[in-house]
């Protein structure tokens, strides 16, 4: 039987490479994006390699857009085997500098949209008694780094949601898989989205500058997004996928250190790693 995959945020980075990897692996893939004018790159590859990919519009922040996309897929294919919740972005700025509205905007895409997608897709997968839901979290879903509290807390929330959901869906043959990449070389860091107050206030200027320049340097040496895509393919092919998969040496290093050290030791280790203190 033909297997159907749906990926959010396929216009670039991890979403683009995951859509291509799924299609190359034989999945009929709906590569979705909110801005269809950004589909040229994927279209070119699809035509060149004759891949089973259909590009459709989906803005995860908008309920109508989510419902329309799922209806369109169900009309055409009547099933969804893999959902990759990938769309996301990062907001920089200290807790004091990020307004509550800005926190909400960050959570809208990185957290609430995942719930929106799952509430539409889980009933379809339950009827099939089969499915894989892949949530693209981050090493930032398990470690609090400075100057990115909105992003960090949205990914921590996503981890909690995913752990909880795993128990609920396993009896229906649905796996929930968390992917935890370290720094990946994508459009994620360009441009850096800074909270409005962080652009003008001075209190956290020094630490913000230190962290942002450290992150930019790490981004240049980031892992190829294809590695994330390959990990997703490997995970969904397991008979019993693990709860989480880590991608990138940096992510493994940080998470191993967190496991081995006390909270205070780990805090001191992070300060040294991030800005040499
Ligand atoms: N890069 C990293 O170092 C890294 C590390 C860990 C985790 N991640 C996670 O990986 C995921 C993908 O990020 P990436 O690194 O591949 O960055 P990216 O190249 O910037 O891709 C992000 C994708 O999400 C899309 N998106 C954002 N808001 C959306 C919305 N409301 N509706 C639909 N699509 C939306 C973007 O679309 P537009 O082109 O329209 O903006 C883009 O396609 C994110 O969840 C991110 O948190 C990234």
């Amino acid at each position: 039987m033909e297997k159907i995959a749906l990926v959010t945020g396929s216009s670039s980075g991890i979403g683009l490479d995951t859509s291509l990897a799924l299609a190359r692996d034989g999945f009929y893939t709906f590569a979705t994006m909110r801005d269809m004018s950004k589909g040229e790159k994927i279209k070119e590859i699809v035509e060149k390699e004759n891949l089973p990919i259909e590009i459709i519009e989906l803005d995860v922040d908008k309920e109508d857009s989510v419902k329309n996309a799922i209806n369109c897929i169900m009309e055409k294919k009547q099933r969804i085997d893999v959902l990759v919740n990938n769309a996301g972005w990062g907001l920089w700025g200290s807790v004091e500098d990020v307004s509550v509205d800005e926190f909400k905007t960050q959570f809208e895409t990185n957290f609430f949209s995942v719930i929106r997608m799952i509430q539409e897709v889980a009933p379809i997968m339950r009827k099939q008694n089969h499915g894989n839901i892949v949530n693209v979290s981050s090493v930032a879903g398990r470690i609090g780094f400075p100057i990115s509290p909105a992003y960090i807390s949205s990914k921590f929330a996503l981890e909690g949601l995913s752990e909880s959901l795993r128990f609920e869906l396993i009896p229906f043959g649905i796996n929930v898989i968390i992917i935890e990449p370290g720094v990946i070389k994508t459009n994620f860091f360009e441009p850096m989205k800074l909270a409005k107050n962080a652009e003008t206030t001075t209190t956290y200027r020094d630490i913000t500058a230190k962290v942002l320049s450290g992150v930019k340097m790490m981004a240049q040496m980031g892992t190829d997004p294809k590695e994330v895509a390959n990990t997703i393919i490997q995970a969904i092919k397991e008979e019993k996928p693990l709860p989480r998969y880590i991608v990138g040496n940096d992510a493994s290093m940080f998470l191993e250190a967190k496991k081995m050290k006390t909270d205070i030791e780990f805090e001191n280790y992070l300060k040294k790693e991030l800005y040499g203190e």
Side-chain angles (χ1 to χ4, degrees):
M1 191 191 293
E2 188 181 40
K3 298 271 186 208
I4 311 301
L6 158 58
V7 182
T8 65
S10 302
S11 66
S12 66
I14 295 169
L16 178 104
D17 274 322
T18 302
S19 300
L20 293 171
L22 283 162
R24 285 175 185 137
D25 204 69
F27 286 85
Y28 189 97
T29 303
F30 288 90
T32 72
M33 57 193 72
R34 60 178 165 178
D35 178 354
M36 295 292 274
S37 72
K38 292 189 177 173
E40 288 312 313
K41 187 171 172 193
I42 193 166
K43 258 188 219 154
E44 229 172 78
I45 304 171
V46 167
E47 276 163 27
K48 199 165 146 203
E49 296 185 31
N50 195 21
L51 293 172
I53 288 191
E54 216 168 306
I55 302 164
I56 61 172
E57 190 174 330
L58 198 171
D59 183 336
V60 294
D61 291 350
K62 297 185 179 143
E63 194 157 337
D64 281 358
S65 176
V66 170
K67 282 189 191 296
N68 287 344
I70 305 289
N71 287 343
C72 162
I73 294 170
M74 289 308 282
E75 266 170 33
K76 288 182 178 191
K77 296 291 181 184
Q78 296 82 47
R79 61 185 293 118
I80 299 173
D81 297 282
V82 177
L83 163 65
V84 182
N85 286 309
N86 162 76
W89 59 283
L91 179 65
W92 301 87
S94 71
V95 173
E96 279 192 71
D97 284 335
V98 178
S99 69
V100 170
D101 279 345
E102 285 173 319
F103 262 94
K104 285 181 180 169
T105 311
Q106 176 76 106
F107 266 71
E108 188 61 51
T109 312
N110 292 7
F111 180 64
F112 293 116
S113 83
V114 176
I115 299 174
R116 197 170 284 130
M117 291 299 299
I118 289 167
Q119 287 181 343
E120 290 297 324
V121 173
I124 297 165
M125 290 182 168
R126 271 196 293 105
K127 276 194 199 126
Q128 298 165 179
N129 208 20
H130 168 79
N132 284 296
I133 296 176
V134 180
N135 292 335
V136 181
S137 176
S138 169
V139 66
R142 287 211 280 152
I143 294 175
F145 297 93
I147 310 300
S148 45
Y151 181 68
I152 299 274
S153 46
S154 71
K155 292 294 187 185
F156 265 64
L158 179 61
E159 296 263 341
L161 175 86
S162 308
E163 283 191 8
S164 186
L165 186 70
R166 237 179 108 82
F167 290 103
E168 293 169 7
L169 292 184
I170 272 286
F172 300 101
I174 305 168
N175 302 303
V176 178
I177 301 161
I178 305 170
I179 304 291
E180 293 174 338
V183 175
I184 309 295
K185 222 174 180 172
T186 65
N187 290 348
F188 186 82
F189 301 99
E190 279 304 329
M192 307 282 265
K193 294 167 191 96
L194 201 56
K196 273 198 195 89
N197 278 343
E199 287 165 10
T200 49
T201 55
T202 53
T203 318
Y204 299 96
R205 188 174 283 167
D206 287 354
I207 185 176
T208 303
K210 268 189 202 169
V211 169
L212 293 192
S213 84
V215 167
K216 272 186 186 163
M217 256 164 49
M218 282 165 83
Q220 280 165 12
M221 297 181 296
T223 304
D224 192 313
K226 287 184 183 64
E227 280 193 35
V228 185
N230 292 340
T231 304
I232 292 174
I233 300 287
Q234 180 204 325
I236 61 174
K237 285 190 155 178
E238 306 261 3
E239 200 185 321
K240 288 189 178 158
L242 298 172
R244 42 173 59 85
Y245 292 80
I246 298 165
V247 190
N249 292 338
D250 54 344
S252 308
M253 183 185 81
F254 281 132
L255 289 168
E256 192 57 29
K258 183 160 190 180
K259 211 187 313 177
M260 305 307 289
K261 293 178 191 294
T262 64
D263 284 353
I264 293 295
E265 281 169 353
F266 184 65
E267 215 171 77
N268 290 332
Y269 160 84
L270 258 193
K271 278 186 199 161
K272 218 177 198 163
E273 286 293 322
L274 292 178
Y275 39 82
E277 240 174 44

